[in-house]
Amino acid sequence: MRVTTTAACARSPSCRPSPTAPCALGGPFRPPGQEVEAPDARLVDEALAWAAPRAVYARVPLRREHTALLAALTRTGGVRHGERQEFRTPVADLPEEDPAERRLSWRPGALDDATVALLAETGTGGPNALTSPARAHLTAWLSSPTLTCDPASVLHVGAVDGRDVALVVAQRAGDGWSTCTWMGLVPAARGRGLGHAVHRHALAMLRAQGATLYHGGTSAENAPMMACFARQGCVPWRRFARWRWDPAA
């Protein structure tokens, strides 16, 4: 099991992030202090104490969601809220972007008011929700210590007929591992088949950055995004139950 907050992980004598966990769980790609990683249920209480009063999230591999662990999760007030499917595929095996099929015009973004507003709009009314103000998310993504490429290359804005409707944050880490930290469309542009084009462009960004391995994931209930992963030929890797502790609930 993994219970996540970046700040606590660094201080804990008993919680040690694995080489892939910060990437898989979004540690460096989210504002600090929101997530703590713990390897098993016995550390749930400690992790909750570190993170208080912030909400805490956990991802539990389905194969480990057994009776004893469920008891520990529910005893501490955890609430199960769906499942997450993750994918892992070599970038060389992913389809390339076809300029003839490009439906959006893309340009590099920046940490400015317009891009922050676009991020907030793409996070409205859909399956992806921002857990902090949009500017805090964008700042954390663009200043991640795992980045080994120009920050301008990880943030792209997509437009249709001159209107900005899409935002992509795609990042390569130092070992060639990569992820699409954010892919979003404004509500008015959804339901028009643009999600596939946005995902394909995000993969093209990773290829241009020199990434070798793509790791992505989404809520298993997010049918449009699950279809995007399948259409790109992404290989299912692992599936988690998602748990949340919210002191405000």
Side-chain angles (χ1 to χ4, degrees):
M1 143 179 206
R2 288 175 179 165
V3 181
T4 56
T5 188
T6 17
C9 231
R11 299 195 305 267
S12 166
S14 53
C15 292
R16 292 285 183 265
S18 68
T20 59
C23 299
L25 299 176
F29 302 132
R30 293 196 179 188
Q34 288 189 359
E35 298 187 337
V36 180
E37 182 185 336
D40 55 50
R42 66 187 175 82
L43 295 176
V44 170
D45 289 323
E46 190 177 357
L48 293 175
W50 286 333
R54 292 176 290 269
V56 174
Y57 302 84
R59 297 178 187 173
V60 182
L62 292 186
R63 67 182 183 278
R64 294 195 58 197
E65 202 179 29
H66 48 66
T67 303
L69 183 54
L70 287 173
L73 294 170
T74 55
R75 171 184 58 79
T76 54
V79 176
R80 196 180 194 275
H81 64 116
E83 297 179 3
R84 175 178 174 83
Q85 177 66 57
E86 296 191 348
F87 302 81
R88 178 173 279 189
T89 308
V91 172
D93 294 345
L94 296 170
E96 296 191 24
E97 190 174 28
D98 185 350
E101 297 180 353
R102 187 174 295 174
R103 301 177 59 189
L104 299 96
S105 58
W106 294 94
R107 70 178 189 277
L111 184 56
D112 54 28
D113 290 345
T115 306
V116 169
L118 181 60
L119 173 59
E121 190 176 2
T122 61
T124 301
N128 295 325
L130 298 174
T131 56
S132 296
R135 185 175 294 276
H137 275 281
L138 201 56
T139 300
W141 291 336
L142 297 181
S143 61
S144 169
T146 65
L147 291 181
T148 57
C149 51
D150 181 0
S153 71
V154 308
L155 173 63
H156 280 190
V157 173
V160 173
D161 297 329
R163 184 186 174 221
D164 293 344
V165 298
L167 186 70
V168 171
V169 180
Q171 306 184 21
R172 173 178 68 87
D175 58 358
W177 179 96
S178 64
T179 190
C180 300
T181 306
W182 184 265
M183 294 181 288
L185 283 162
V186 300
R190 295 171 191 161
R192 297 162 53 184
L194 293 174
H196 164 69
V198 172
H199 194 196
R200 181 76 54 100
H201 181 75
L203 300 179
M205 291 169 61
L206 298 177
R207 183 177 283 106
Q209 294 171 17
T212 57
L213 183 65
Y214 172 52
H215 180 177
T218 188
S219 166
E221 294 80 25
N222 186 351
M225 196 63 224
M226 290 287 286
C228 279
F229 279 111
R231 187 170 178 179
Q232 309 296 355
C234 298
V235 179
W237 179 38
R238 58 186 182 181
R239 196 170 178 112
F240 292 97
R242 302 166 69 208
W243 288 75
R244 174 184 171 93
W245 291 258
D246 190 348

